[in-house]
Amino acid sequence: MPGSMPHTTSIRKRLRYLTTLACALTALTAVGILASGHVIHGALLMLGAMLLLPGSIFGRRHRQHLSEAALASSTPAPPRRWRKAA
């Protein structure tokens, strides 16, 4: 039964995607309001979109996790060479 199967994605990942959706909708709404001539409301909505940006998939933390995961999975760590103390 499809409804009884557990979700494979974590809650953090799902929240990040929801935040990305909210950020995109807020930015599109801000552009529409700016185009209609309401500068203050458009600027406030654009500020709201920028505040949502760090929690989205475009945020710096998400990119760091992706690059670390890609680096860890693609190349094994080089062996350490110890120098003998003289």
Side-chain angles (χ1 to χ4, degrees), residues 20-44:
T20 303
L21 179 67
C23 180
L25 288 175
T26 305
L28 287 174
T29 305
V31 168
I33 289 177
L34 281 170
S36 69
H38 298 283
V39 179
I40 298 295
H41 293 101
L44 287 174

Side-chain angles (χ1 to χ4, degrees), residues 60-77:
R60 190 181 334 163
R61 286 184 185 172
H62 182 71
R63 282 185 273 150
Q64 284 176 348
H65 292 300
L66 284 179
S67 64
E68 288 173 3
L71 183 63
S73 65
S74 64
T75 58

